[in-house]
């Protein structure tokens, strides 16, 4: 056999040659598949990764043997063939074998211009890529003829002191060597490593006989694909140019034909119906047997079709979903394959508007990409202005040093949020993700001058309130102006893919949802329930803030209860709405968590308003506010500590929950409620709360003659709660790990301030990643695993979950699966990605451990 005459490193691609992507690269393997499908592929020889490594060291294969399959006067192309086509490779070099004799011969057969173009193109590629000469000296001339060719050959000789090589074997050897070396270049290595290639990734090369598409009869070259790269819908696109003579000047429209019949002009379909049909058949064969949508490169030579190459169709995120689903629906791939083929990040792109990747970007500043998607709007500096802007129907970007719960309504109203401080779990980031509002936090190089109402970029540019900027929460960039956007698009394929994912995943996915709107989003994304409802957000709605402040200022328990009685119906209505929307799916309600000072004003005008509202002297208000302030509020009077010190708040919340359950139950919905106690660090805290809550339950259930289907559980977010989970689980039906606070307390790292130095820490390798972003499996994960194990030891059926921001990330989902958790809970917009990742992890496990 021919291939046995070559070294084992060089193989002619035949149907039964030994060939694999891991040895010869993806292109070589794909060409073999085309050959096996009886497609008219010109003679091709593959060099393995080892052959190319040898060539880079100057040890070329036996050139005579390599060239033998191509006959006496070869004209060849050389293309890269890396293991994964996405890893790139050096540019292809065409027309290897052109020399003076061949030029003279071809000029007679096809005319001087055509032959000169082929030779000129080769000399240019050779000079730039092989001899590494200055590309500026080797522009293709407008006029291709013997004179311009002579000039380029002379330029080559002048630069190298050698005539242009005439021996095809020498030419090919040099081309192979230069391509092999290019693969080892620093920039090529960095580029492919950025795409996930291993450090020792190999390069194969394929040498193929040129099918020129030039000469008598129908001749030309083209590419065709059978789906639209943007939408993924079936559509024939590509191009075909009759006579493979791309013009050297600006236009190459001459000779271009439409592929399919078109009223605007001639088409390949009309001109060569049989070849066109053959091309369609090749496309169908590729789809069926390569199990992928391929872009096919072809030439027609005197009416005969040649298939030169086929590569995976480039595709947008939207198209990737549609193509995977269509292939599975047509039985070409399995549903499992379809689920494995789509990158979860593609789903996130589909859920949000994005800056058009082709649009120019005028980057003002970079921060932390905290909530994906992009939006443009006029700068506003306060939450009130954001609401006013929204009321006028003008999109705005809320720019704040950092946000506080008081800004929530402004964040709702804004198209995007930008803060100078904060990290991935800061208030702005958490709320932004929950609302699906694009958000960049920690843009510490930006300055806000509140007095002049201006924002200063690090390059000195200054923007006034009202100026247009764009927040790209996917990349963390803030851009000047309003670049074009790509709209979010959720189509049927998206839903289908996720339904399939749900069939394969083995861990629950819930959403963190605080409001009815969040709950609706959670339902739309098929979350199985609400894993965390942060109830404090409800107290910033409408006029509740005022009532909350009255409660904080109440002098006695009775006064406090009286004020809370006014909040009770509002809270009951909140819960009733949530329970109705969730229609019997679990809702985990976390009792009040933040320190009370978050509800109080921090500036003079706010204090004055408050004094007026409470009819108290301003100094008294100022004094009370000061008395409530703490050195370390996040480690202070919050969570269950408030529940114990000021029990009326939790009593009111429990009553509202139970009454809402009764009300919703009366309408035929059976709510399933988990009541969660935050910031627990000792078993006695849970014991005390449990008895209070049970008392409230009895008080509500008795008169209503209702059975309340609720569970009481604990949010494990202090290291001590994880360490003592065996005692805590005595009183807790579930343990939900709040990895935001747990990370903060495990590292002793403020989640609101870490953004200031996090990038320096990550850059210097102190932390591999921002632990608020990527769950620290070694440290925080150890505590979570320990807590889970100790909790289970005491109560084997304790329900386990993660509800910190990590819940939507692949590593945290993998961790939770490994430790047999019941579910993860994440922001509603991360739910689709989490469903897909959970399914991919389950499927990958099945492949590894069938
Ligand atoms: C947590 O601490 O992980 C959590 C989910 O709660 P929060 O972010 O509201 O503190
Ligand atoms: Mg917390």
């Amino acid at each position: 056999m021919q291939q046995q005459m070559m070294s084992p490193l060089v193989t002619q691609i035949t149907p039964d040659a030994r060939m694999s992507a891991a040895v010869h690269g993806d292109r070589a393997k794909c060409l073999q598949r085309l050959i096996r499908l009886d497609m008219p592929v010109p003679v091709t020889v593959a060099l393995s990764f080892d052959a190319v490594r040898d060539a880079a060291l100057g040890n070329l294969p036996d050139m005579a043997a390599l060239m033998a399959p191509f006959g006496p006067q070869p004209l060849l192309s050389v293309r890269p063939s890396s293991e994964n086509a996405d890893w790139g490779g050096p540019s292809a070099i065409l027309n290897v074998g052109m020399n003076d004799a061949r030029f003279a011969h071809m000029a007679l057969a096809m005319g001087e211009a055509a032959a000169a173009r082929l030779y000129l193109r080769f000399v240019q590629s050779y000079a730039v890529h092989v001899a590494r000469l200055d590309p500026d000296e080797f522009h293709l001339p407008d006029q291709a003829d013997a004179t311009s060719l002579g000039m380029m050959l002379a330029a080559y000789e002048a630069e190298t002191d050698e005539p242009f090589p005439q021996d095809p074997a020498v030419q090919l050897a040099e081309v192979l060597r230069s391509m092999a070396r290019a693969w080892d270049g620093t920039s090529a290595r960095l580029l492919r490593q950025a795409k996930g290639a291993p450090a020792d990734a190999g390069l194969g090369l394929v040498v193929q006989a040129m099918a020129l598409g030039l000469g008598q009869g129908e001749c030309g070259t083209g590419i065709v694909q059978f789906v639209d790269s943007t939408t993924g819908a079936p559509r024939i696109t590509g191009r075909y140019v009759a006579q493979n003579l791309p013009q050297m000047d600006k236009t190459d429209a001459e000779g271009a034909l439409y592929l399919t019949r078109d009223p605007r002009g001639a088409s390949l379909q009309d001109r060569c119906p049989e070849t066109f049909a053959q091309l369609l058949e090749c496309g169908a064969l590729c789809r069926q047997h390569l199990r992928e949508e391929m872009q096919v490169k072809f030439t027609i030579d005197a009416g005969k079709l040649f298939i030169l190459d086929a590569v995976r169709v480039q595709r947008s995120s939207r198209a990737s979903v549609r193509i995977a689903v269509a292939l599975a629906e047509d039985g070409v791939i399995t549903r499992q394959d379809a689920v494995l083929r789509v990158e979860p990040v593609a789903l996130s792109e589909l859920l949000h508007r994005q800056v058009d990747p082709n649009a120019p970007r005028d980057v003002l500043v970079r921060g932390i990409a905290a909530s994906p998607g992009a939006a443009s709007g006029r700068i506003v500096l306060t939450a009130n202005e954001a609401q006013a802007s929204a009321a006028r129907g003008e999109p705005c970007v809320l720019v704040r040093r950092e946000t506080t719960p008081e800004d929530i309504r402004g964040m709702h109203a804004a198209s995007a949020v930008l803060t100078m401080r904060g990290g991935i779990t800061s208030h702005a980031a958490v709320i932004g993700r929950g609302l699906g509002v694009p958000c960049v936090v920690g843009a510490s190089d930006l300055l806000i001058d509140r007095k002049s109402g201006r924002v200063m970029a690090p390059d000195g540019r200054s923007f006034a309130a009202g100026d247009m900027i764009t927040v790209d929460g996917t990349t963390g960039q803030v851009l000047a102006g309003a670049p074009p956007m790509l709209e979010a698009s959720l189509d049927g394929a998206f839903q289908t893919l996720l339904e399939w994912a749900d069939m394969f995943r083995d861990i629950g996915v819930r959403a963190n949802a605080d409001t009815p709107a969040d709950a609706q989003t959670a339902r739309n994304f098929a979350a199985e329930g609400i894993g965390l409802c942060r109830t404090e957000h409800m107290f910033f709605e409408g006029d509740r803030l005022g009532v909350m402040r009255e409660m904080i200022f109440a002098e006695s328990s009775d006064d406090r209860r009286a004020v809370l009685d006014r909040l009770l119906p509002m809270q009951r209505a909140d819960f009733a709405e949530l329970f109705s929307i969730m229609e019997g799916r679990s809702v985990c309600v976390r009792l009040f968590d933040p320190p009370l000072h978050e509800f109080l004003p921090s500036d003079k005008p706010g204090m004055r308003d408050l004094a007026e509202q409470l009819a108290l002297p301003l100094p008294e208000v100022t004094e009370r506010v000061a008395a409530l302030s703490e050195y370390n509020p996040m480690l202070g009077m919050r969570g269950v500590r408030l529940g114990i010190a000021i029990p009326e708040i939790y009593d009111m919340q429990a009553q509202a929950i139970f009454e809402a359950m009764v009300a919703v139950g009366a309408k035929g919905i059976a709510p399933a409620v988990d009541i969660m106690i935050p910031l627990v660090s000792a078993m006695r805290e849970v014991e005390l709360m449990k008895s209070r809550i049970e008392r409230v339950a009895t008080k509500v259930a008795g008169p209503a003659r209702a059975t309340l289907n609720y569970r009481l559980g604990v949010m494990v977010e202090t290291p001590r709660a994880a360490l003592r989970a065996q005692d805590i689980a005595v009183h807790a039906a579930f343990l939900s790990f709040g990895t935001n606070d747990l990370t903060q307390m495990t590292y002793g790292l403020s989640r609101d301030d870490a953004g200031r130095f996090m990038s320096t820490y990550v850059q210097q390798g102190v932390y591999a990643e921002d632990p608020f972003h990527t769950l620290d499996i070694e440290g925080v994960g150890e505590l979570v695993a320990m807590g889970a194990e100790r909790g289970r030891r005491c109560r084997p059926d304790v329900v386990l979950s993660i509800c910190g921001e990590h819940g939507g990330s692949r590593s945290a989902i993998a961790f939770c699966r490994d430790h047999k958790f019941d579910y993860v809970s994440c922001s509603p917009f991360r739910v689709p990605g989490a469903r897909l990742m959970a399914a991919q992890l389950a499927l990958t496990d099945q492949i590894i451990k069938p």
Side-chain angles (χ1 to χ4, degrees):
M1 267 167 67
Q2 193 88 50
Q3 76 223 39
Q4 280 160 354
M5 291 163 60
M6 304 181 193
S7 93
L9 306 179
V10 178
T11 313
Q12 181 175 352
I13 306 183
T14 57
D16 29 53
R18 286 166 70 92
M19 184 125 311
S20 80
V23 175
H24 300 92
D26 185 59
R27 173 167 269 131
K29 184 64 204 166
C30 178
L31 283 165
Q32 185 181 45
R33 292 198 175 116
L34 302 182
I35 290 168
R36 283 181 178 162
L37 292 169
D38 260 347
M39 291 198 198
V41 177
V43 174
T44 310
V45 168
L47 276 72
S48 69
F49 298 166
D50 284 343
V52 175
R53 274 189 202 108
D54 285 352
L57 299 172
N59 306 321
L60 287 152
D62 176 347
M63 295 306 292
L66 193 165
M67 294 180 77
F70 299 108
Q73 282 197 314
L75 206 52
L76 307 170
S77 68
V78 186
R79 292 194 173 84
S81 176
S82 52
E83 187 169 346
N84 179 326
D86 291 342
W87 298 346
S91 315
I93 297 190
L94 309 183
N95 305 333
V96 180
M98 280 304 292
N99 54 20
D100 296 351
R102 192 74 194 262
F103 166 66
H105 180 78
M106 287 176 98
L108 288 179
M110 63 177 68
E112 181 181 309
R117 276 189 185 122
L118 292 175
Y119 199 4
L120 276 163
R121 280 189 173 274
F122 176 49
V123 178
Q124 182 205 34
S125 306
Y126 194 94
V128 174
H129 298 295
V130 181
R132 308 263 161 216
L133 302 179
D134 181 358
D136 285 344
E137 302 293 322
F138 290 89
H139 285 299
L140 290 172
D142 290 344
Q143 186 81 21
D145 54 21
T147 312
S148 55
L149 176 63
M151 283 165 66
M152 196 183 277
L153 288 167
Y156 180 91
E157 190 163 345
E159 293 290 327
T160 60
D161 288 335
E162 283 173 7
F164 189 75
Q166 296 293 305
D167 179 349
V170 171
Q171 292 174 351
L172 180 61
E174 290 305 316
V175 166
L176 297 177
R177 194 188 345 240
S178 74
M179 289 174 83
R181 289 203 177 140
W183 182 248
D184 286 337
T186 310
S187 48
R189 191 158 345 121
L190 290 178
L191 267 176
R192 64 179 177 266
Q193 281 176 7
K195 291 183 178 166
D200 62 349
L203 175 75
L205 291 171
V206 293
V207 183
Q208 189 176 66
M210 296 281 300
L212 284 176
L214 262 175
Q216 304 293 314
E218 182 58 42
C219 287
T221 186
I223 50 171
V224 62
Q225 65 184 55
F226 306 90
V227 288
D228 185 298
S229 284
T230 307
T231 65
R235 190 162 83 89
I236 296 176
T237 60
R239 63 188 146 79
Y240 173 75
V241 185
Q243 297 298 338
N244 182 12
L245 288 178
Q247 300 298 299
M248 290 186 172
D249 51 26
K250 284 166 224 66
T251 147
D252 72 349
E254 195 178 305
L257 263 64
Y258 293 100
L259 286 175
T260 49
R261 190 162 298 130
D262 196 298
R264 289 167 298 177
S267 71
L268 185 64
Q269 184 172 19
D270 279 334
R271 188 132 114 199
C272 313
E274 275 169 31
T275 316
F276 183 77
Q278 220 184 327
L279 211 45
L280 293 190
E281 204 181 308
C282 288
L285 277 173
C286 276
R287 187 171 192 266
Q288 191 64 35
H289 295 274
L290 274 53
R291 303 163 67 239
E292 187 43 291
E293 288 292 353
M294 304 297 282
Q295 185 188 65
V296 177
K297 191 170 172 55
F298 65 96
T299 56
I300 302 176
D301 227 36
K304 184 169 163 16
L305 178 70
F306 288 95
I307 303 294
L308 308 185
D309 197 17
V311 293
R312 214 175 145 261
V313 164
Q314 293 284 331
R315 62 201 69 186
S316 68
S317 299
R318 183 174 163 203
S320 76
V321 175
R322 180 150 183 183
I323 290 171
V325 169
L327 287 171
E329 279 177 337
D330 295 346
V332 176
I333 60 174
T334 62
R335 290 175 173 187
Q336 286 90 330
D337 278 336
V339 165
L340 285 167
R341 279 186 186 195
V342 175
E343 286 291 331
V345 49
L347 294 194
S348 160
E349 280 175 26
L350 292 185
L351 296 170
H352 303 282
R353 298 172 90 209
Q354 303 289 339
V355 175
D356 184 338
N358 301 318
R361 285 172 174 252
D362 180 0
V363 180
L364 292 180
V365 71
R366 284 185 173 77
I368 297 169
S371 173
S376 306
R378 303 201 174 280
I379 294 175
V380 294
L381 298 175
T382 66
N384 284 346
E385 286 163 31
Q387 285 177 272
S389 177
R392 292 193 302 273
E394 283 175 16
C396 65
V397 174
L398 177 61
V399 183
R400 304 281 290 158
R401 195 158 161 265
E402 63 196 324
T403 62
T404 66
E406 268 187 282
D407 293 315
I408 285 200
R409 274 177 285 162
M411 294 179 74
H412 260 287
S415 305
V417 175
L418 165 63
T419 69
M420 266 87 274
R421 294 184 57 188
I424 202 77
T425 61
S426 63
H427 179 265
V430 171
I431 300 297
R433 281 196 293 278
L435 298 175
V437 170
C439 178
V440 169
V441 298
S444 50
D445 292 337
L446 211 61
L447 288 177
I448 306 184
D449 183 353
R450 293 269 293 279
K451 275 203 189 111
S452 65
R454 296 191 81 83
V455 177
M456 259 74 72
D459 65 3
R461 277 189 281 176
S462 151
F463 293 81
D467 285 349
M468 182 65 80
I469 59 169
T470 296
V471 169
D472 184 344
T474 307
T475 62
Q477 292 176 339
V478 181
L479 315 173
M485 299 273 179
L486 295 184
E487 290 303 322
S489 69
L490 295 184
D491 50 22
F494 174 91
Q495 306 291 3
T496 307
L497 186 83
L498 286 175
E499 279 163 25
W500 294 346
D502 288 347
M503 287 167 22
F504 305 126
R505 75 183 153 85
D506 51 12
I507 186 165
V509 178
R510 293 201 199 173
N512 294 350
D514 308 333
T515 61
D518 289 349
Q520 195 52 59
T521 312
R523 282 294 312 268
N524 295 347
F525 294 149
E528 284 155 89
I530 293 179
L532 173 63
C533 169
R534 294 171 161 108
T535 48
E536 58 272 13
H537 293 158
M538 296 168 168
F539 297 112
F540 289 94
E541 298 279 320
D543 50 9
R544 298 176 190 194
L545 185 58
V547 188
M548 260 319 265
R549 287 172 171 175
E550 270 184 59
M551 192 275 295
I552 295 169
F553 274 77
E555 301 277 357
S556 67
S557 171
D558 284 345
D559 289 354
R560 217 166 6 247
R561 205 166 289 128
V563 184
L564 285 164
D565 277 349
R566 283 159 54 204
L567 282 173
L568 175 70
M570 306 182 204
Q571 217 19 173
R572 188 169 51 221
D574 293 332
F575 293 134
E577 203 174 347
L578 277 190
F579 301 158
S580 302
I581 292 171
M582 296 311 290
E583 291 183 310
R585 287 165 188 80
S586 289
V587 178
C588 180
V589 180
R590 178 183 73 183
L591 300 177
F592 193 89
D593 182 43
L596 291 179
H597 82 90
E598 284 194 7
F599 292 84
L600 297 176
S602 52
D603 55 4
K604 263 269 154 60
M607 303 265 190
R608 218 172 290 126
D609 283 352
L610 184 55
E612 218 163 79
Q613 181 200 336
L614 301 172
L616 287 174
L618 179 61
E620 195 175 319
V621 168
T622 320
E623 212 171 284
R624 293 288 296 276
V625 171
L628 274 168
S629 79
E630 295 172 288
Y631 286 107
N632 263 325
M634 296 313 278
L635 301 179
M637 211 16 196
R638 55 171 286 220
V640 68
R641 298 164 196 171
L642 272 174
I644 288 174
I646 312 178
E648 299 83 3
I649 303 177
Y650 279 14
D651 283 352
M652 181 279 285
Q653 290 198 295
Q655 188 176 343
I657 293 169
F658 295 136
E659 288 178 356
M661 289 173 77
V662 172
V664 171
K667 286 195 245 154
I669 297 173
V673 178
D674 294 340
I675 298 178
M676 180 155 75
I677 309 173
L679 216 78
V680 165
S681 57
M683 184 258 260
R684 180 78 181 133
E685 290 169 326
V686 192
E687 209 169 38
L688 287 174
M689 285 300 104
K690 190 174 180 187
S691 62
R692 275 201 94 98
I693 289 167
E694 278 173 356
R695 220 174 306 142
V696 179
T698 314
K699 208 174 84 190
V700 174
R705 291 171 199 274
T707 318
L708 297 171
N709 173 20
Y710 82 96
R711 295 186 296 201
L712 189 78
V714 162
M715 188 159 185
V716 179
E717 50 184 343
T718 65
R720 195 176 190 285
L723 293 169
R724 302 305 307 170
Q726 69 273 37
D727 326 323
I728 287 171
V730 172
H731 303 295
F734 64 90
L735 300 177
S736 186
F737 290 83
T739 47
N740 301 335
D741 271 310
L742 194 56
T743 300
Q744 166 163 270
M745 296 195 208
T746 305
Y747 278 82
L749 187 66
S750 159
R751 57 197 266 197
D752 298 305
D753 300 307
R756 282 200 195 171
F757 59 87
M758 189 56 74
S759 58
T760 315
Y761 254 50
V762 173
Q763 266 162 21
Q764 298 195 13
V766 183
Y767 300 156
E769 315 245 17
D770 176 348
F772 290 109
H773 194 258
T774 307
L775 182 67
D776 161 43
I777 305 282
E778 287 175 354
V780 180
E782 178 97 22
L783 269 174
V784 175
M786 205 181 276
E789 190 270 319
R790 292 180 181 185
R792 263 196 195 121
R793 210 189 297 156
C794 151
R795 188 190 276 244
D797 64 346
V798 67
V799 174
L800 297 173
S801 63
I802 274 193
C803 63
E805 288 307 307
H806 304 92
S809 70
R810 189 178 202 99
S811 56
I813 297 172
F815 174 88
C816 289
R817 283 190 68 252
D818 288 347
H819 291 84
K820 306 268 178 300
F821 275 38
D822 296 278
Y823 68 88
V824 295
S825 189
C826 54
S827 310
F829 283 89
R830 296 183 81 186
V831 165
R835 289 163 66 198
L836 183 62
M837 284 186 271
Q840 291 181 339
L841 288 162
L843 288 170
T844 312
D845 261 8
Q846 283 170 19
I847 295 166
I848 299 169
K849 328 174 200 152

